[in-house]
Amino acid sequence: MDKKTLRKHIRNLKAVRTEEENRRASEQLMCRIEAHPRFVCAETVLFYHSLPDEVYTHDFIRKWASRKQILLPVVVGDTLEIRRFSAETAMNKNAYGIAEPTGCPFSDIAHIDLAIIPGMAFDRDGNRLGRGKGYYDRLLSCLRNTGVYKIGLCYDFQLLPQVPAEAHDVPMDEVIC
C-alpha cells in the first residue's frame, strides 16, 4: 500500500475502537514504558501529548513530570519545537487541538536520553508512518546523530509487516505496541 492508502486504512481501524479499549491498551503500554530500562535510567524524556486517537499519555506525563524532565513538541510553522512540560496550566491548544507547553524552547537536544514517538503505523524494522505533514520527520532528523534512543509507541493493530520508508526517514530503535 502507498502511504495515503495506509493512513486511511489505519484511520478506519482506529474508528472502530472504543474509548474504553484505547484506555485499557494505553494503560498497559504506559506500564511497559514505565518499566523499560531506558525510561528508568532516563533523566530527560521527549514525549508527546496524545491526540484522541493515539496511545493516551496525559496522565503518564503528569505523573512523571516531577521526577524527570519531560519535553513535549510544539508546532511552530512547519517544524516541531521542543519545550519543557511543567504543569497543565502552562498548556495551550494549537490549531490541531493538541495541548502544547508554553515557555522557552529547549535546545539542548544532546541531553535528551529517550524519545517516545507516536505514529500512524510502524513496522518491526522501526520504520514509521506519520500523519503526512512531516513534522516528526524533521524533528527526528535533528535527533539522528545525538544518541537519543527512540521508541515508537502504538496500538497492536498499528504494527505492520512493512511501512513505506525513504532514505531520509529515521527509524525507531524499538517499537512498543
Side-chain angles (χ1 to χ4, degrees):
M1 277 190 246
D2 65 12
K3 290 181 179 184
K4 184 177 178 181
T5 306
L6 192 51
R7 284 186 190 99
K8 184 177 180 182
H9 172 70
I10 295 297
R11 273 193 298 275
N12 290 339
L13 292 174
K14 286 180 174 187
V16 299
R17 290 177 57 99
T18 67
E19 186 177 327
E20 181 59 31
E21 287 175 308
N22 288 342
R23 280 297 171 121
R24 272 196 315 269
S26 294
E27 287 172 12
Q28 292 172 355
L29 288 163
M30 291 298 97
C31 287
R32 290 185 61 198
I33 292 291
E34 197 168 45
H36 195 286
R38 295 281 184 157
F39 181 78
V40 171
C41 295
E43 293 179 16
T44 303
V45 180
L46 173 61
F47 225 89
Y48 66 95
H49 205 258
S50 55
L51 290 169
D53 68 342
E54 294 175 328
V55 173
Y56 182 75
T57 62
H58 303 190
D59 294 340
F60 188 86
I61 289 167
R62 280 190 297 272
K63 175 181 178 180
W64 284 97
S66 64
R67 294 178 259 178
K68 296 183 183 283
Q69 182 168 234
I70 302 292
L71 307 174
L72 298 175
V74 174
V75 176
V76 177
D78 289 335
T79 63
L80 289 179
E81 188 173 272
I82 301 170
R83 295 188 185 163
R84 186 171 191 264
F85 174 83
S86 56
E88 285 295 324
T89 57
M91 302 281 278
N92 289 328
K93 286 200 175 182
N94 69 14
Y96 300 105
I98 303 168
E100 301 173 326
T102 58
C104 297
F106 179 89
S107 59
D108 194 6
I109 61 173
H111 283 93
I112 300 172
D113 301 307
L114 177 64
I116 309 294
I117 307 294
M120 289 295 286
F122 295 91
D123 66 25
R124 295 208 182 276
D125 293 326
N127 295 311
R128 175 187 170 277
L129 177 70
R131 292 182 181 268
K133 301 283 187 187
Y135 289 111
Y136 271 96
D137 292 330
R138 288 184 284 281
L139 176 61
L140 289 167
S141 70
C142 292
L143 299 178
R144 185 185 294 267
N145 297 316
T146 63
V148 175
Y149 193 81
K150 298 167 294 305
I151 296 177
L153 187 62
C154 65
Y155 298 118
D156 57 358
F157 65 89
Q158 293 174 275
L159 185 64
L160 305 176
Q162 186 174 15
V163 167
E166 298 173 32
H168 66 271
D169 290 334
V170 178
M172 301 295 100
D173 297 300
E174 182 177 350
V175 177
I176 293 180
C177 63

